[in-house]
Amino acid sequence: MSTITCAALMALSLWPASYVSASEPDHPSNQQNYSADLIETTRLAEEGNAAAQFKLAGMYFEGRGVVKDLQQAALWFRKAADQGNVTAQHNLGWMYENGIGFSKDLQQAFNWYLKAAQQGNASAQNNLAVLYRTGRGVGKDEQQAAQWYRKAADQGNAKAQYSLAWLYQTGSGLPKDVQQAVHWYLKAAQQGDVDAQNNLGVIYQDGLEEVTKDEQQAVNWYRKAADQGLSSAQTSMGLMYFEGRGVSKDYQQAALWYRKAADQGNARAMFSLGWMHLEGQGVPKDEQKALSFYRHAADQGYDRAQHSMGWMYQTGSGLSKDMQQAAYWYLKAAQQGNKEAQNNLAVLYLNGQDGLKKDERQAALWFRKAADQGNITAQYNLGWMYENGNGLPKDAKQAADWYLKAAQQGNANAQINLGVIYQRGDAGVKKDEQQALNWYRKAADQGNASAQYNLGLMYQNGNGLSKDAQQAIQWYLRAAQQDHMDAQNNLGYIYQYGQDGVKKDDKQAVSWYRKAADQGHSAAQTSMGLMYFEGRGVAKDHQQAASWYRKAADQGNARAQSSLGWLYESGNGVPKDAQQAAYWYLKAAQQGNAGAQNNLGGLYQSGSGVSKDEQEAAVWYRMAADQGNVSAQLSLGEMYANGRGVPKDEQQAVSWYRKAADQGNAKAQFSLGSMYHTGFFVTKDAQQAVHWYRLAALQEMSIAQTMLGGMYLAGVGVPENLSQAAFWFRQAANQGAADAEYILGMAYVTGKGVPEDWRQGAIWLRRAAEQNYSNAQHLLAVLYLSRKESPDDGKQALYWLRKAAERGDANAQLDLGRIYASGKILNIDRRAAASTVASPLDQAWDKAQKDLAATIGEVAGVARDEEAAYFWTMLSLANGNQVARDYLPPLVAVLPAESKSKVDAEVKAWKPVK
């Protein structure tokens, strides 16, 4: 809303001076002489005495001694004027000009003024200048007007002096000359001309060109005019006291002077009094009185009061809110060119509320009117409408032009938006990050939090300048301290992950995330969920994590929805609930969250929380995969490979595996390696197999490390290299891969690729054996029998042999059968020994096995048992070991038929230990 009004400069008077009387002022002593005087004056006038004619005209004009008769007055003024009486000529011109005693005739008025002026009558000269100035009764001629004003002014005519000063001040008909203006205003003012006094006050109040500002002088001249009752000067006195300019600030004195002017009906004073009552300054606060003063001023057509009436109706100050009434008053002020009213009217049309119909075209129209007058807010709003295409065609160039106008006047919002346009490089505006920085900085220096945030973002990302996390933090801090949520969130991110010299600090991260999260920032709430889930900067608390994720999820944050879905799927912080998991995954997936799409695909594939539907699973996997989600690409590859949910398609399978593998997914890399190794879906290519195995192996994937070791061991796709083979087997074995532990154990036993070391071999074989790797269990048993370094070796041998046999190792089952058949370890027939890798290592093991064949001895705790021997030998045969057939005849020969039948049934029902 507008505040206190400013001073007003009095304009040039365009009304001429009145007629000039020839008589003395009335006194009681004069009244008795009128009758005698009338007779004598009439006699002389009829005899042609010009002075008497002039006097008689004045008596008729004023009704002194006779009945007032304007026609008789006009008649005698004419007679005197025709004889050259200068005052009569002036008065006759005045009467013609105003239609008094004659019909109004400006041509006649001009003629008579000219006659008097040419005789040097100052009042006539002044009035003649007015006619030339206005073009009334004569062609408009400002230079002629100036000449006649000067003639009158030189004779001391105050009105002419005032008018001449005005012409000099405005440069009308004369070269503009403020010093000359002040000179003539002073002459008029010293004669008591109230308008000149007021105008001197205006000039000294603010200074004008070469006239130095002097507020005390301003007050001096305003007071002279105000004391004569000039309401505009009284209003200016109110302003000077209100603002403490040229006098000590005194709100009560201000109100006193405003009241004097308001009592005369001065609208500006009424407006100012209204404002003082609204704010309670110098007068009691009273919205109703404020409203009354505003309404009186508004009813007089004072635009600022009309604007204030609109504001009061819009905000409901002192009366009920009424947008239609607000628009009514804003329109009245706007039609007078009040730019604030034009802007506010446009805002009402733009928003359209409380019964006022929204009209973006009208909004644009009024914004433009206000903007063309330099209203900063309107210029900004017009830019916004062009930028967003509201009520106007979308036009980034026009938007930038209007933002620039407002920005150059210091509007921080315009400066920000202009920066954004330059940073983006919208259509019609070339991208210019330096310009963006320039405008952001201007707004930031004004304390604008959004601009400070944008500057921080540019420093953080290195847009238009070198990355500088420290500078980013400084600008984010300024914005964050003003509760800018995005700045607080970004500070949390920088401290959470550390960036370019900024040390990670989880507690600081949580502190800033919490500030933003408490304001409802969904991304910060999601980060709070993560910090609680992982126990970073706070004690680990999955329930708190779920609480923060839900806050963000309820606001539609897809990342939080996906995370909440995972908590429900896994039962972390919330009861395990696959249906809730599917619900939240779906919400996030529908927003395009790739992780949620992938996880939803997993639920449909497994039928968890939803009806199993592999086709639907494939749909969601595809959405996620198309966004580059590695897990989804891998799953989609597997579905195409197996024809599940999609038609089987080898090319599609390989394509999706490759996409995931190219992103570094170890499982996809291993799968591609296996495909190239076996020629499954692709042309067999051992070198490609090695390539993909190696990539997966470098990511610590143990099975890939084992396969890569096997490729080096066998010299497939790479030159044979037992040391490299042992290296990769060890990498896998160190991760607990049983097959790698088994092979590494064999390598130490045989000394291939590593120094021969039976004890190291036993260690690795035991590790594999303890993972129920049956080949390792079997060979560990053989190793114990070969050592015989302690009485327990035989027990250990039998223990591991039984373990292998119980897990279905056919060779171990045969060896166990032979032990039960004789109670001794006999020649272990290597013909049936299983080989994991056909390689030099396997050949070395064959030799070691033959060397052990000579080892025959008692096995402690084993008694001869033909039935057990038959059971294990038959089981070995049933598991595909054809060598076992050679050992059956002696057992069949000695075993009773009944026992044989019982064992056959046991063999048939037997299942390996898992």
Side-chain angles (χ1 to χ4, degrees):
M1 190 192 74
S2 302
T3 56
I4 295 299
T5 185
C6 61
L9 185 69
M10 299 305 295
L12 175 63
S13 173
L14 298 181
W15 195 253
S18 62
Y19 94 103
V20 179
S21 174
S23 56
E24 294 292 325
D26 280 342
H27 292 287
S29 60
N30 291 332
Q31 300 300 318
Q32 59 187 348
N33 299 320
Y34 282 155
S35 296
D37 193 28
L38 175 63
I39 294 171
E40 180 62 17
T41 302
T42 302
R43 184 183 66 76
L44 292 173
E46 288 174 345
E47 291 176 355
N49 185 291
Q53 292 169 340
F54 175 75
K55 182 177 178 181
L56 185 60
M59 294 176 74
Y60 277 111
F61 188 90
E62 297 174 9
R64 286 184 288 107
V66 292
V67 176
K68 187 173 183 177
D69 188 333
L70 296 178
Q71 289 181 332
Q72 279 294 314
L75 172 68
W76 289 109
F77 275 140
R78 179 65 175 261
K79 289 181 182 289
D82 285 342
Q83 292 192 68
N85 185 288
V86 65
T87 309
Q89 291 170 339
H90 165 269
N91 286 358
L92 201 59
W94 184 85
M95 293 180 78
Y96 271 116
E97 183 179 3
N98 294 284
I100 297 172
F102 301 103
S103 298
K104 190 173 184 177
D105 188 332
L106 294 176
Q107 183 65 55
Q108 281 291 327
F110 172 80
N111 291 336
W112 288 109
Y113 280 147
L114 181 61
K115 289 179 184 291
Q118 287 171 337
Q119 290 192 70
N121 183 281
S123 182
Q125 291 168 340
N126 177 71
N127 290 3
L128 188 62
V130 171
L131 294 183
Y132 273 116
R133 172 80 174 148
T134 58
R136 296 164 64 231
V138 66
K140 187 173 181 178
D141 189 331
E142 289 187 336
Q143 289 181 334
Q144 278 291 319
Q147 287 178 19
W148 288 110
Y149 277 138
R150 182 175 290 278
K151 288 179 185 292
D154 286 340
Q155 292 189 68
N157 183 284
K159 289 296 180 189
Q161 290 168 339
Y162 168 79
S163 297
L164 189 60
W166 174 265
L167 295 183
Y168 272 117
Q169 185 177 352
T170 59
S172 302
L174 290 169
K176 190 173 183 180
D177 188 328
V178 176
Q179 293 287 1
Q180 279 292 309
V182 170
H183 168 79
W184 288 107
Y185 278 143
L186 275 170
K187 284 186 174 292
Q190 287 163 349
Q191 293 190 69
D193 187 276
V194 68
D195 292 333
Q197 292 168 340
N198 181 74
N199 284 13
L200 279 172
V202 173
I203 290 172
Y204 281 116
Q205 179 181 341
D206 296 310
L208 184 64
E209 296 177 8
E210 56 270 31
V211 178
T212 304
K213 179 178 179 179
D214 187 332
E215 291 178 339
Q216 289 181 330
Q217 276 284 10
V219 168
N220 174 54
W221 288 110
Y222 280 145
R223 192 181 299 276
K224 289 181 184 296
D227 286 343
Q228 292 191 69
L230 186 69
S231 67
S232 60
Q234 292 168 338
T235 303
S236 296
M237 283 297 292
L239 176 67
M240 301 304 274
Y241 273 109
F242 185 88
E243 295 183 348
R245 300 175 63 182
V247 288
S248 297
K249 184 179 283 189
D250 188 329
Y251 291 147
Q252 290 180 330
Q253 277 293 311
L256 179 66
W257 282 109
Y258 282 140
R259 171 71 69 177
K260 287 179 183 289
D263 287 345
Q264 294 189 66
N266 186 288
R268 290 191 302 121
M270 291 177 184
F271 166 76
S272 298
L273 267 179
W275 190 90
M276 292 183 78
H277 276 293
L278 191 65
E279 299 297 321
Q281 289 188 320
V283 291
K285 186 170 185 176
D286 189 330
E287 286 186 342
Q288 291 305 313
K289 280 193 174 181
L291 180 62
S292 174
F293 279 116
Y294 280 151
R295 190 178 294 278
H296 278 89
D299 286 341
Q300 289 189 55
Y302 187 57
D303 63 295
R304 296 179 69 187
Q306 292 167 338
H307 170 250
S308 295
M309 286 294 296
W311 180 86
M312 294 186 79
Y313 273 112
Q314 184 180 357
T315 59
S317 299
L319 36 70
S320 299
K321 270 189 181 182
D322 189 327
M323 294 303 144
Q324 290 183 329
Q325 276 293 307
Y328 169 81
W329 286 110
Y330 281 147
L331 180 61
K332 280 188 170 293
Q335 287 171 335
Q336 293 192 68
N338 185 291
K339 58 188 177 183
E340 285 76 21
Q342 290 169 340
N343 179 70
N344 289 2
L345 181 61
V347 171
L348 290 184
Y349 278 122
L350 183 63
N351 296 329
Q353 57 187 25
D354 299 334
L356 184 68
K357 187 177 179 181
K358 184 173 183 176
D359 190 331
E360 290 183 339
R361 289 188 179 181
Q362 279 293 313
L365 170 71
W366 288 109
F367 277 141
R368 183 175 292 277
K369 287 181 182 292
D372 285 340
Q373 291 192 73
N375 183 277
I376 304 171
T377 307
Q379 290 170 340
Y380 165 77
N381 289 341
L382 200 57
W384 183 86
M385 294 187 79
Y386 272 116
E387 183 179 7
N388 296 284
N390 292 99
L392 292 166
K394 197 169 185 177
D395 189 328
K397 181 66 170 61
Q398 280 287 322
D401 288 345
W402 285 109
Y403 282 148
L404 180 61
K405 290 178 187 292
Q408 287 172 333
Q409 294 191 70
N411 183 281
N413 287 332
Q415 291 167 342
I416 293 167
N417 288 12
L418 191 57
V420 170
I421 287 176
Y422 276 117
Q423 189 174 3
R424 286 194 310 233
D426 286 343
V429 179
K430 187 177 179 181
K431 184 173 182 177
D432 189 333
E433 290 182 332
Q434 292 303 313
Q435 278 289 339
L437 274 171
N438 172 55
W439 289 111
Y440 285 150
R441 192 175 295 278
K442 286 181 184 292
D445 287 341
Q446 292 189 64
N448 186 281
S450 295
Q452 292 166 343
Y453 165 75
N454 286 358
L455 266 181
L457 201 60
M458 293 190 82
Y459 274 110
Q460 184 179 0
N461 298 324
N463 299 122
L465 36 66
S466 300
K467 273 189 180 183
D468 190 329
Q470 295 290 352
Q471 276 291 313
I473 285 177
Q474 290 306 309
W475 286 109
Y476 282 149
L477 274 172
R478 293 187 188 186
Q481 285 162 353
Q482 297 186 64
D483 288 331
H484 193 285
M485 293 188 295
D486 291 328
Q488 292 168 337
N489 180 66
N490 284 17
L491 278 172
Y493 180 89
I494 289 175
Y495 281 116
Q496 180 182 351
Y497 296 103
Q499 188 172 353
D500 299 330
V502 178
K503 190 177 179 181
K504 285 174 69 173
D505 187 332
D506 286 339
K507 287 187 177 179
Q508 276 281 6
V510 167
S511 172
W512 287 111
Y513 279 145
R514 192 182 298 278
K515 289 180 188 293
D518 285 342
Q519 293 190 70
H521 193 286
S522 66
Q525 291 169 338
T526 304
S527 295
M528 283 296 292
L530 176 66
M531 300 303 272
Y532 271 109
F533 185 84
E534 296 183 349
R536 297 178 60 184
V538 289
K540 184 180 284 190
D541 187 330
H542 288 175
Q543 288 182 329
Q544 276 292 313
S547 173
W548 282 110
Y549 281 142
R550 184 175 291 277
K551 287 178 189 288
D554 286 340
Q555 292 192 69
N557 186 287
R559 193 160 61 95
Q561 291 168 340
S562 180
S563 297
L564 190 58
W566 187 89
L567 291 182
Y568 274 112
E569 185 178 4
S570 60
N572 277 296
V574 290
K576 192 170 185 176
D577 188 330
Q579 288 184 330
Q580 277 292 305
Y583 171 82
W584 288 110
Y585 282 151
L586 179 61
K587 282 191 170 293
Q590 287 172 334
Q591 292 190 68
N593 184 279
Q597 291 168 341
N598 174 67
N599 292 356
L600 189 59
L603 293 183
Y604 274 109
Q605 188 173 8
S606 65
S608 179
V610 292
S611 299
K612 186 172 182 176
D613 187 334
E614 290 189 329
Q615 288 182 328
E616 188 70 10
V619 168
W620 288 111
Y621 281 145
R622 164 81 66 171
M623 289 185 186
D626 285 339
Q627 292 190 69
N629 185 278
V630 176
S631 297
Q633 291 170 339
L634 177 65
S635 296
L636 202 56
E638 290 171 348
M639 296 189 86
Y640 275 112
N642 298 299
R644 297 176 61 183
V646 290
K648 190 171 183 176
D649 189 323
E650 296 176 359
Q651 289 183 332
Q652 281 289 316
V654 173
S655 171
W656 287 111
Y657 278 136
R658 188 176 294 278
K659 287 179 187 291
D662 286 340
Q663 290 196 71
N665 183 274
K667 190 173 180 182
Q669 291 167 342
F670 173 75
S671 296
L672 275 178
S674 298
M675 288 178 170
Y676 280 110
H677 193 181
T678 60
F680 187 68
F681 290 174
V682 292
T683 303
K684 193 171 184 178
D685 187 329
Q687 289 182 329
Q688 277 290 306
V690 168
H691 167 75
W692 290 110
Y693 281 150
R694 186 184 302 281
L695 291 177
L698 289 169
Q699 295 192 66
E700 305 297 320
M701 188 177 192
S702 61
I703 189 171
Q705 292 169 335
T706 302
M707 294 306 295
L708 186 58
M711 302 296 272
Y712 275 110
L713 185 64
V716 177
V718 287
E720 180 183 310
N721 188 326
L722 298 183
S723 295
Q724 275 292 304
F727 169 81
W728 287 110
F729 286 138
R730 184 182 297 279
Q731 297 298 310
N734 284 336
Q735 293 190 69
D739 51 356
E741 292 169 338
Y742 164 64
I743 297 170
L744 191 59
M746 288 177 63
Y748 274 110
V749 169
T750 59
K752 297 298 182 181
V754 292
E756 185 175 333
D757 187 334
W758 285 53
R759 286 187 174 81
Q760 274 293 314
I763 290 171
W764 287 111
L765 288 172
R766 178 180 286 275
R767 290 188 182 181
E770 287 171 346
Q771 293 191 67
N772 290 322
Y773 195 82
S774 60
N775 283 348
Q777 292 169 336
H778 182 201
L779 296 182
L780 185 60
V782 173
L783 202 57
Y784 273 116
L785 288 173
S786 69
R787 284 170 48 182
K788 292 187 177 179
E789 293 180 358
S790 75
D792 287 336
D793 283 351
K795 291 180 181 179
Q796 284 289 321
L798 186 61
Y799 171 81
W800 288 113
L801 196 60
R802 184 180 293 279
K803 284 278 189 185
E806 287 172 348
R807 290 190 62 78
D809 187 297
N811 292 323
Q813 291 166 344
L814 178 58
D815 287 344
L816 193 58
R818 293 177 66 202
I819 289 174
Y820 277 112
S822 63
K824 297 179 179 181
I825 292 294
L826 305 176
N827 181 12
I828 296 176
D829 194 332
R830 189 61 179 130
R831 289 177 298 164
S835 173
T836 303
V837 181
S839 67
L841 185 62
D842 195 44
Q843 296 163 15
W845 178 252
D846 282 338
K847 183 176 183 299
Q849 190 83 329
K850 290 173 183 177
D851 292 341
L852 294 173
T855 304
I856 300 173
E858 298 292 332
V859 178
V862 179
R864 184 169 179 170
D865 185 338
E866 286 86 356
E867 189 172 300
Y870 179 70
F871 172 80
W872 288 110
T873 305
M874 281 296 292
L875 202 55
S876 178
L877 179 63
N879 283 321
N881 189 350
Q882 297 302 315
V883 177
R885 194 181 299 279
D886 297 342
Y887 295 95
L888 281 173
L891 295 172
V892 172
V894 298
L895 195 66
E898 183 180 334
S899 297
K900 179 177 175 297
S901 296
K902 183 187 77 162
V903 171
D904 285 343
E906 289 174 350
V907 168
K908 189 173 182 180
W910 181 87
K911 290 183 179 179
V913 175
K914 293 183 180 178

